[in-house]
Amino acid sequence: MSERVERLVKVAATRWPGAVAVSDSQRVLTYGELDRYADELGWKLRSLGVDNGVFVGLCVERSAALVVGALAILKAGGVYVALDPSYPQERLTSMFRDSGAVVLVGSSGTPGALRSEAPFVDVDLDHPALPVAGLGIGVAGGGNDVAYLIYTSGSSGAPKGVMVEHRSLLNLIRWHQRAFALTPADRGTQIASPGFDAAVWEIWPYLTAGASIHVPPDEIRADPAALRDWLLAHEITISFVPTALAETVMAVPWPSRAPLRCLLTGGDVLSRPPPPGLPFDLVNNYGVTEATVVSTSGVIPPG
């Protein structure tokens, strides 16, 4: 069988079941728990007709539940359609209908109007992650299958749905793991909007490497000084921060040494270089959605 993202996460869960996979302000999930929750949800999706190539809406806020939902859809063989619940309801409904999704995976934050579009499945993490039969995908599942569908911003017109195959996603994962020497000891973040393809980059390279993902609360994410303190307190080693926020985070005072070794940014034109004395490298990235998140990447020297 061809390598696929959900299979590589399963390998990590088998190898490091007790290691932290993802945490937010509400809960911490180990790799074993993540795998079991995703299997349980994946079986529910299978019962609703999700199989290879079936599109499933994923409308969950930044959280451990977002990661469980995306992994469950992939385990069922489906394609996840990334939707940010903070978007206007008309936009969400338009994208959901355009995608052809037949099921919606969501949470308490999913707008009610969107829930009426298709069978709704809640990502329920308020019960123990009980062992269930491991969910394998159909024999037809391979690298040429679509992994996710994500919509462009629509800045040049109507938002455009872009389908990205598993082989393209795996190429991004392998590049990221090599370029930033990712190990199971690394601690990443999930800060980008779930509807921005950078969120794809924040999740899968880490979960396939046995590293952990940490989600800051919304009120901290939007405050540069508070985000700096949170990154230091949680000993984050690699983080992606959208360009406008990265420029403000760089401007606040930093200690001479920090666990953070690399701050990745992208999504807009970088208008200022990093100041001297930062304890981490700033890596500026560019990429169109059709090219699987990142097309160019380089360290920006101070000054």
Side-chain angles (χ1 to χ4, degrees):
M1 293 188 297
S2 300
E3 281 190 341
R4 287 174 52 131
V5 174
E6 70 275 12
R7 293 173 184 151
L8 296 180
V9 177
K10 179 67 175 179
V11 170
T14 301
R15 188 172 181 183
W16 301 289
V20 173
V22 57
S23 72
D24 58 26
S25 59
Q26 301 297 316
R27 58 181 50 83
V28 177
L29 297 184
T30 65
Y31 270 89
E33 290 169 330
L34 171 65
D35 190 52
R36 291 193 293 274
Y37 277 125
D39 274 335
E40 182 181 51
L41 180 57
W43 281 116
K44 290 181 182 178
L45 295 175
R46 275 289 180 90
S47 72
L48 293 171
V50 177
D51 207 323
N52 292 330
V54 173
F55 289 80
V56 179
L58 177 64
C59 190
V60 181
E61 66 281 357
R62 301 168 181 85
S63 62
L66 173 68
V67 177
V68 171
L71 181 58
I73 293 168
L74 295 179
K75 277 176 170 280
V79 178
Y80 72 87
V81 181
L83 302 167
D84 187 333
S86 69
Y87 286 172
Q89 289 198 24
E90 287 186 5
R91 183 180 179 185
L92 286 173
T93 300
S94 175
M95 291 190 295
F96 185 83
R97 291 176 179 175
D98 179 75
S99 73
V102 300
V103 177
L104 175 64
V105 172
S107 66
S108 60
T110 306
L114 189 62
R115 296 185 187 209
S116 64
E117 292 292 317
F120 178 78
V121 181
D122 182 45
V123 183
D124 177 15
L125 304 184
D126 291 329
H127 66 282
L130 301 175
V132 295
L135 185 67
I137 65 168
V139 294
N144 292 336
D145 292 334
V146 177
Y148 66 87
L149 184 152
I150 202 159
Y151 282 82
T152 61
S153 63
S155 57
S156 59
K160 178 175 58 178
V162 175
M163 296 183 290
V164 176
E165 296 175 342
H166 276 270
R167 59 179 180 172
S168 300
L169 179 54
L170 285 172
N171 184 60
L172 173 73
I173 289 169
R174 290 173 178 135
W175 167 78
H176 179 90
Q177 292 174 347
R178 290 194 308 268
F180 304 107
L182 204 63
T183 75
D186 276 304
R187 299 168 65 88
T189 59
Q190 207 282 286
I191 291 175
S193 160
F196 177 25
D197 66 350
V200 171
W201 191 23
E202 292 178 301
I203 295 172
W204 303 118
Y206 298 86
L207 291 184
T208 53
S212 58
I213 302 167
H214 304 266
V215 186
D218 286 346
E219 63 272 16
I220 287 177
R221 176 175 49 83
D223 182 325
L227 181 58
R228 172 205 57 198
D229 294 343
W230 182 89
L231 291 168
L232 293 171
H234 286 76
E235 300 183 323
I236 301 301
T237 59
I238 306 177
S239 180
F240 172 84
V241 178
T243 305
L245 181 57
E247 290 181 343
T248 60
V249 168
M250 289 190 301
V252 299
W254 282 83
S256 60
R257 301 185 67 179
L260 184 67
R261 70 174 189 271
C262 190
L263 184 67
L264 312 172
T265 193
D268 205 344
V269 177
L270 184 67
S271 61
R272 67 182 72 170
L278 287 178
F280 52 82
D281 288 334
L282 178 73
V283 180
N284 194 28
N285 307 280
Y286 170 78
V288 293
T289 305
E290 295 86 342
T292 319
V293 188
V294 180
S295 303
T296 67
S297 177
V299 176
I300 306 299

